[in-house]
Amino acid sequence: MSQKIIIRICTGTTCYVLGGAQLLALEDELPADVRERVSIEGALCFQLCKAREPLRAPFARVNATLISEATVPKIIAEIQRQL
Amino acid sequence: MTVHTDTFIDVGHYQVHKAGQRVGGDVFIFQRHEDSERVVAVLSDGLGSGIKASVLATLTSTMASRFVTSYRDIKSTANIIMQTLPVCKERKISFSTFTIVDIEKDGTARIIEYGNPATIFFQADTIGPLKKEQVPVESAHTHERHVSSGSCVLACGDRLIMFSDGVTQAGMGRADTPLGWGQAAAERFITACIKTQPTISARDLAKEIVSEAQRIDGNHARDDITCGVIYFRRPRATLLISGPPINPERDAVLAGRVEAFGGECIICGGTTANIIARELDRPIEVDLTCIDPHVPPPSRMPGVTLVTEGILTLCKVSELLQHGIVPEEYTDNAAGRVLAKLLNSDHIHFLIGTKINDVHQDPTMPVEIEIRRNIIKKIKQVLEEKHIKKIELEYI
């Protein structure tokens, strides 16, 4: 069996108020077959909000791939790309 | 002589009203005097129930507290109270019971009782001796009455427990408790409580006693049931750290404070937590079982009681404190957990990093985010004024 895809969601202040709070419900949005192949973790501030443009909060990582202005569909698309 | 350099007088009470009454006729109040760290607590039970009883009990407890605080002697205090209370139209008497406990920082306690069940002195988990004498007082309306005056010295871990007759008379007339729960049975219950939970807080013990009395009353209190507990114990100290130091060279100092602190430690701030985790080489794990739309989830770090996000969580804590919301009435999120820890502490040391996160000041952020120092000042003020906590504020 292949290794699980690790999704890390930044729970820092900026990410949280810019939409990160909704990302924590990601697990409920995943199709059942995808859900069992990923592991969702929260993370303390990635410190990326200070990097300014062109990257914008909220941030998430799907394995090593960084997603800025992350939304549930963007994360799901990246998971499906990696599967 | 015992030296009481590091003790705290924990005072808590719990009360249920007579079933169907919205106002209680039992009143428990206490005053803590910051300079001397002396505490005066009064439990009063007004004649009857409802508003009339409440007025009698409030008058009595307020007068008693004021007079005793100013070291007025017991006899004249009792005299003034008895002669001041309004006379009940139906019963033609003025009446309100009282128990007054006056306790000094060194554990010396004076106890004055009139009409309430006897105050119990617990030396750790055993009932200790309470020397009492009867002092006659005059009354404008009836024959001579007596108040009981007692004294004892509390050592660390000792308690004084007072309650209204709603406790001892609970269950009166029921088959298994025809004369009510009674003082002796209540004492056995409290002894068992303290033996199983030796460090139970004043409020929690008062709640256990009142809940048991209510249960014995068939969960339908037939009188106001009130219990006050005074617990002489070591202070519970909490260190709350929030914000990175202005100068990164002080990161190690900050982390060192976490390691050296003996009490509970709370870190509010992701960057702050990252700094401490890095300096102390400890892992952090975000707890995704505690999700809330407004407050980011808490995290776990070994050796630290609680780790949370910073500004949003502290803003919420400040809001909860301003509105007088207690953790039991609130949802289980990181802010509620911080609030519970703060309210459960006696001494709180705020260690605040003064570095400002520029991103939070961006006006395009969808919520108003205050500067850390201002929120902490608001939290400090409510904790000091409303909750009588001892607060120290230090910037790093």
Side-chain angles (χ1 to χ4, degrees):
Chain A
M1 192 187 138
S2 60
Q3 265 195 330
K4 280 194 170 184
I5 293 177
I6 295 171
I7 300 154
R8 303 188 78 222
I9 298 163
C10 179
T11 60
T13 311
T14 312
C15 284
Y16 212 76
V17 297
L18 289 173
Q22 284 80 44
L23 299 181
L24 294 177
L26 174 69
E27 195 172 354
D28 303 335
E29 310 270 337
L30 292 177
D33 59 321
V34 176
R35 198 178 303 160
E36 59 197 33
R37 298 182 63 183
V38 302
S39 164
I40 301 170
E41 297 171 7
L44 296 189
C45 185
F46 286 168
Q47 306 282 333
L48 292 169
C49 42
K50 291 171 191 168
R52 300 286 178 157
E53 306 300 333
L55 299 178
R56 288 274 296 165
F59 295 100
R61 276 201 169 94
V62 178
N63 281 335
T65 309
L66 178 72
I67 301 175
S68 66
E69 291 178 84
T71 58
V72 170
K74 272 173 100 169
I75 296 174
I76 292 178
E78 179 58 27
I79 294 168
Q80 276 165 342
R81 199 187 61 80
Q82 293 191 23
L83 277 174
Chain B
M1 191 186 139
T2 322
V3 181
H4 301 271
T5 49
D6 193 21
T7 47
F8 178 79
I9 306 169
D10 177 16
V11 185
H13 83 287
Y14 195 78
Q15 176 174 61
V16 292
H17 298 161
K18 179 178 175 176
Q21 292 282 2
R22 293 175 68 184
V23 177
D26 288 356
V27 170
F28 179 88
I29 58 168
F30 79 97
Q31 278 185 291
R32 190 185 300 276
H33 301 271
E34 277 312 301
D35 303 341
S36 55
E37 296 189 47
R38 172 184 176 218
V39 167
V40 174
V42 183
L43 169 67
S44 177
D45 178 356
L47 182 70
S49 61
I51 298 283
K52 184 162 59 186
S54 174
V55 170
L56 287 171
T58 306
L59 269 170
T60 302
S61 51
T62 312
M63 281 192 280
S65 171
R66 295 257 166 86
F67 293 154
V68 170
T69 302
S70 57
Y71 289 104
R72 204 175 174 120
D73 82 86
I74 305 161
K75 202 172 161 179
S76 76
T77 300
N79 276 339
I80 293 169
I81 291 170
M82 288 182 182
Q83 289 173 18
T84 311
L85 292 181
V87 179
C88 171
K89 255 191 202 160
E90 293 154 25
R91 302 170 180 89
K92 308 286 181 214
I93 51 170
S94 62
F95 187 81
S96 177
T97 69
F98 53 84
T99 300
I100 307 166
V101 174
D102 175 11
I103 176 166
E104 304 282 347
K105 171 76 177 156
D106 67 358
T108 309
R110 272 200 307 161
I111 299 136
I112 306 153
E113 291 170 324
Y114 176 70
N116 277 338
T119 300
I120 312 167
F121 174 36
F122 268 93
Q123 291 179 307
D125 58 8
T126 314
I127 294 177
L130 200 51
K131 255 192 341 206
K132 283 183 189 171
E133 55 168 338
Q134 297 297 314
V135 182
V137 289
E138 291 158 18
S139 163
H141 315 290
T142 55
H143 57 280
E144 188 183 71
R145 299 181 192 178
H146 289 84
V147 297
S148 151
S149 167
S151 62
C152 62
V153 179
L154 280 79
C156 195
D158 293 353
R159 292 175 176 89
L160 283 169
I161 298 169
M162 58 184 117
F163 36 73
S164 63
D165 60 3
V167 169
T168 47
Q169 293 176 2
M172 191 174 274
R174 294 171 76 94
D176 45 351
T177 49
L179 299 173
W181 193 19
Q183 180 91 9
E187 286 177 358
R188 284 195 297 275
F189 174 81
I190 301 165
T191 305
C193 270
I194 298 175
K195 278 190 196 293
T196 50
Q197 303 172 77
T199 58
I200 185 169
S201 74
R203 182 177 152 82
D204 287 349
L205 182 57
K207 192 174 174 181
E208 293 257 357
I209 296 164
V210 170
S211 303
E212 180 65 7
Q214 198 180 12
R215 191 191 63 77
I216 290 169
D217 240 348
N219 290 318
H220 187 86
R222 285 178 296 172
D223 191 2
D224 298 318
I225 306 177
T226 306
C227 176
V229 175
I230 294 170
Y231 179 21
F232 199 63
R233 60 166 170 76
R234 295 259 171 269
R236 279 193 283 259
T238 295
L239 173 67
L240 188 148
I241 296 179
S242 185
I246 187 89
N247 183 346
E249 283 170 17
R250 293 190 206 151
D251 286 0
V253 176
L254 183 72
R257 294 288 292 275
V258 174
E259 264 198 319
F261 193 71
E264 302 223 33
C265 178
I266 304 171
I267 301 171
C268 297
T271 309
T272 319
N274 276 332
I275 290 171
I276 291 163
R278 183 195 70 216
E279 292 290 325
L280 301 179
D281 193 22
R282 291 183 190 174
I284 303 180
E285 189 192 348
V286 177
D287 176 9
L288 285 187
T289 60
C290 184
I291 295 178
D292 183 286
H294 308 293
V295 181
S299 306
R300 286 183 280 261
M301 188 196 294
V304 174
T305 314
L306 182 60
V307 178
T308 73
E309 176 273 346
I311 301 293
L312 299 173
T313 309
L314 289 171
C315 280
K316 183 53 84 177
V317 170
S318 172
E319 187 189 317
L320 295 172
L321 280 167
Q322 305 274 352
H323 291 95
I325 296 166
V326 294
E328 293 94 0
E329 297 169 359
Y330 185 62
T331 48
D332 177 32
N333 64 21
R337 292 185 191 182
V338 172
L339 179 68
K341 289 286 171 205
L342 294 180
L343 294 183
N344 202 29
S345 308
D346 311 309
H347 297 173
I348 303 159
H349 190 103
F350 287 102
L351 182 57
I352 304 304
T354 49
K355 194 167 178 181
I356 288 175
N357 190 336
D358 299 340
V359 186
H360 296 173
Q361 308 311 317
D362 186 336
T364 61
M365 288 278 277
V367 288
E368 223 175 279
I369 289 180
E370 283 195 71
I371 292 175
R372 194 183 311 271
R373 270 186 277 187
N374 295 347
I375 305 169
I376 295 291
K377 272 186 201 159
K378 285 184 186 170
I379 292 176
K380 174 179 183 284
Q381 191 187 2
V382 182
L383 287 172
E384 278 177 335
E385 291 175 8
K386 263 169 82 176
H387 299 279
I388 330 279
K389 305 292 181 192
K390 210 174 192 177
I391 313 279
E392 286 167 331
L393 179 53
E394 180 188 350
Y395 295 112
I396 185 164

